[in-house]
Amino acid sequence: MLSTRLFWQVFALFVVAASACVLAGAWICGLPPLDSPVDELAHWAGRCSMLFAIIVVVGFWVARWVMRCVAVPLDEMTLAAEQLATADAPLELSPELPAYPKRLVTSFRAMSQRVTARITELEQWRESLGQNNQQLAIVLEAMVEGVIAIDPQERILLANTAAIRLLDLKPQGLIGRPLWETVRLPQVQELVRQTLAGGEQRRIEIEVSRTQVTLAAVMSRLPGEPCSGGVIVLHDVTDLRRLENLRREFVSNVSHELKTPLAAISAYAETLLDGALDDPEINRGFVGRIGEQADRLHTLILELLELGRMESDEHAFELVAIEIGTVLRECVDEHQDVAKSKNLRLEADAPAEVVWGLADLESLRTIADNLLDNAINYTPAGGRISVRWRREGDWIEFDVEDTGVGIVKENQARIFERFFRIDRARSREVGGTGLGLSIVKHLCQVFGGQVKVSSQFGKGSTFTVKLRAAEPVANG
């Protein structure tokens, strides 16, 4: 123990020091010569022995006093410090301690209890902070928006998976690197500099050529002076911009398509009002032209409404097992008169087996009618149009093949877009609206199938519709 070791150290130090002082005093005052009488030497020896005994006794009490006033309180505080380090409960104070060391130890114990309570509180905060950090990490990883946090020196502190994907970054060694070294986009670097310098939230749009996406980048400066960094949030607006472009193109095309028949109707009506109405040779022809343009306008509006209902899911489709051959033969028969009037041979090439597909009856008729109308309109006189159908495993396929004008390769991927026309003059001549193939594609997708085209310019085209096969329905 500290108190026992200190007792003997103090005792020995006091005895040695006091003895040295006595010997020094005796030396200064003068010792009796060795040839002095025996009685005088004995007297000096007795006095020295008594003085040494007194020194020993006084040293014992001094050491005891030092042990009680210093060593014991130090032992108590040492125990308290050890208990504080091991988070044990403090011991009870010894009742034999004097007042002032007891106050010292009591104050130390109180301090240790407050420190222990504070440490416990900090541990709880640390655990809570760790849980919050885990939750924040989970939230950041689940976000579809990219998030990048940087420090005042523009070094990356955090980057979630979405940001790495959108910017096509390498996740290894990303944290701690300068932003300009990893994200080599001048617009982003300028955004960071302006925001950190100005403090206001800023927003830009950037094109990332490597990922072929359009990003809206919003940066906010973190609070505090001096600046403690900033956060960049990345939104993928590629689809939004594409839809905006489609909307603008759609509005432009619809305006143009509506304007053409309206302009013709207006011109014919003005001509009739200017006097042609009284001319029996031309008035009926002009009225007939007005009727044709009105029918074209009506067809365009109906197809727009049909396409709008399909895309807004307002059109209810009842998918049932349908005998494909029956529907296709009926559609071929309905178009025979038009085909013959244009000197076209229209035929159905039926397979040996009966083919059943999963579709909506009226929608399947719409698909077949639009493909046949398209083939008849773009096949010159003397040509041939053939309709075939078959089953391929879990799917059924039917083809509409023509020997028409064909489609160049670069336009084959776009013919299913709304209002896309290869030859606008010919399209207006045959009365097409530019929506038929778009409706066909959308209906095939609704049925879980697809439509594709193969064509050679000047030799004809083949449109192939692929739908899910169905089991035959028992009669009766």
Side-chain angles (χ1 to χ4, degrees):
M1 292 289 292
L2 175 62
S3 58
T4 303
R5 185 170 63 253
L6 184 62
F7 172 81
W8 291 111
Q9 290 174 349
V10 172
F11 175 75
L13 180 62
F14 181 83
V15 170
V16 171
S19 299
C21 291
V22 170
L23 291 175
W27 180 266
I28 294 172
C29 294
L31 294 173
L34 295 176
D35 56 353
S36 300
V38 176
D39 293 340
E40 186 177 353
L41 292 175
H43 176 72
W44 272 97
R47 290 175 65 186
C48 289
S49 299
M50 184 178 296
L51 187 59
F52 183 75
I54 293 172
I55 290 174
V56 171
V57 172
V58 174
F60 179 82
W61 286 104
V62 169
R64 182 180 175 85
W65 178 86
V66 171
M67 182 186 68
R68 183 178 180 186
C69 294
V70 178
V72 173
L74 287 176
D75 279 342
E76 291 287 333
M77 287 188 289
T78 302
L79 287 175
E82 291 175 352
Q83 292 160 4
L84 177 62
T86 58
D88 292 335
L91 297 175
E92 295 295 332
L93 293 177
S94 175
E96 299 179 357
L97 289 176
Y100 84 86
K102 183 178 292 186
R103 288 170 53 194
L104 176 63
V105 176
T106 301
S107 300
F108 183 81
R109 290 288 179 82
M111 180 190 69
S112 70
Q113 291 176 355
R114 289 195 296 271
V115 172
T116 301
R118 184 61 177 168
I119 291 175
T120 303
E121 182 180 352
L122 291 176
E123 287 291 333
Q124 294 175 351
W125 275 102
R126 185 181 64 82
E127 293 178 359
S128 177
L129 183 61
Q131 293 176 355
N132 291 337
N133 288 339
Q134 291 179 355
Q135 294 174 357
L136 178 61
I138 293 174
V139 171
L140 289 175
E141 290 302 313
M143 291 177 61
V144 295
E145 293 84 6
V147 178
I148 300 177
I150 60 174
D151 64 8
Q153 288 73 40
E154 300 183 15
R155 292 189 297 261
I156 298 176
L157 300 176
L158 178 147
N160 66 351
T161 303
I164 294 173
R165 174 179 53 82
L166 292 173
L167 295 174
D168 193 25
L169 304 178
K170 295 181 179 179
Q172 295 80 10
L174 188 63
I175 305 303
R177 295 178 62 186
L179 183 67
W180 58 265
E181 186 178 324
T182 56
V183 183
R184 301 191 177 184
L185 297 171
Q187 305 96 317
V188 175
Q189 297 170 16
E190 184 65 22
L191 171 69
V192 171
R193 284 193 291 268
Q194 292 180 358
T195 305
L196 293 180
E200 296 180 356
Q201 186 183 80
R202 298 177 182 271
R203 184 182 188 277
I204 62 170
E205 285 194 8
I206 54 178
E207 299 283 342
V208 184
S209 58
R210 289 182 297 180
T211 56
Q212 298 295 316
V213 297
T214 302
L215 299 179
V218 181
M219 181 171 180
S220 301
R221 179 177 170 177
L222 295 176
E225 289 296 339
C227 176
S228 57
V231 176
I232 306 172
V233 180
L234 304 171
H235 303 268
D236 187 352
V237 294
T238 306
D239 292 338
L240 179 62
R241 295 294 171 263
R242 182 179 60 82
L243 291 175
E244 287 181 354
N245 292 334
L246 288 176
R247 178 185 60 80
R248 286 194 293 267
E249 184 179 353
F250 178 77
V251 172
S252 175
N253 287 330
V254 168
S255 301
H256 181 77
E257 294 298 332
L258 292 176
K259 182 176 65 177
T260 301
L262 286 175
I265 291 173
S266 177
Y268 290 136
E270 289 179 2
T271 303
L272 289 173
L273 291 175
D274 287 341
L277 184 63
D278 298 328
D279 189 342
E281 295 182 1
I282 62 175
N283 57 9
R284 294 185 64 84
F286 276 25
V287 172
R289 294 292 182 85
I290 291 175
E292 291 175 0
Q293 296 300 324
D295 290 340
R296 178 182 175 186
L297 190 61
H298 181 258
T299 301
L300 175 62
I301 293 173
L302 289 180
E303 290 187 347
L304 285 172
L305 292 175
E306 178 70 15
L307 192 59
R309 281 195 299 268
M310 287 188 296
E311 293 185 344
S312 62
D313 293 330
E314 294 180 3
H315 196 290
F317 297 99
E318 183 182 0
L319 301 184
V320 296
I322 298 174
E323 204 276 285
I324 300 297
T326 300
V327 177
L328 295 181
R329 287 191 190 93
E330 291 176 355
C331 291
V332 168
D333 292 341
E334 291 173 0
H335 288 78
Q336 283 291 356
D337 292 339
V338 178
K340 290 178 180 179
S341 67
K342 294 186 176 183
N343 192 23
L344 299 174
R345 186 176 59 176
L346 176 59
E347 56 188 20
D349 185 5
E353 61 176 348
V354 178
V355 177
W356 292 79
L358 192 64
D360 177 81
L361 180 58
E362 292 303 321
S363 298
L364 181 60
R365 290 181 181 274
T366 299
I367 292 173
D369 287 339
N370 282 335
L371 292 178
L372 286 172
D373 287 338
N374 189 72
I376 291 173
N377 289 334
Y378 290 94
T379 301
R384 177 181 58 84
I385 301 171
S386 177
V387 179
R388 300 184 298 271
W389 59 94
R390 61 196 173 276
R391 177 163 181 166
E392 299 286 348
D394 294 334
W395 301 89
I396 63 102
E397 294 180 356
F398 71 86
D399 303 325
V400 177
E401 180 183 9
D402 64 63
T403 58
V405 296
I407 307 167
V408 294
K409 188 174 182 179
E410 55 267 25
N411 289 332
Q412 292 179 16
R414 299 194 59 195
I415 59 173
F416 296 102
E417 296 178 8
R418 302 174 192 174
F419 299 110
F420 178 79
R421 289 172 173 175
I422 300 172
D423 186 348
R424 290 187 176 272
R426 180 175 178 84
S427 296
R428 293 192 183 98
E429 179 183 345
V430 299
T433 63
L435 292 174
L437 292 180
S438 178
I439 293 175
V440 168
K441 178 181 179 180
H442 191 86
L443 287 173
C444 290
Q445 292 175 343
V446 170
F447 300 156
Q450 61 179 353
V451 59
K452 59 183 180 180
V453 61
S454 61
S455 178
Q456 285 186 317
F457 185 69
K459 294 184 178 181
S461 305
T462 301
F463 287 84
T464 301
V465 173
K466 185 177 181 180
L467 301 175
R468 287 180 291 176
E471 297 301 323
V473 177
N475 294 328

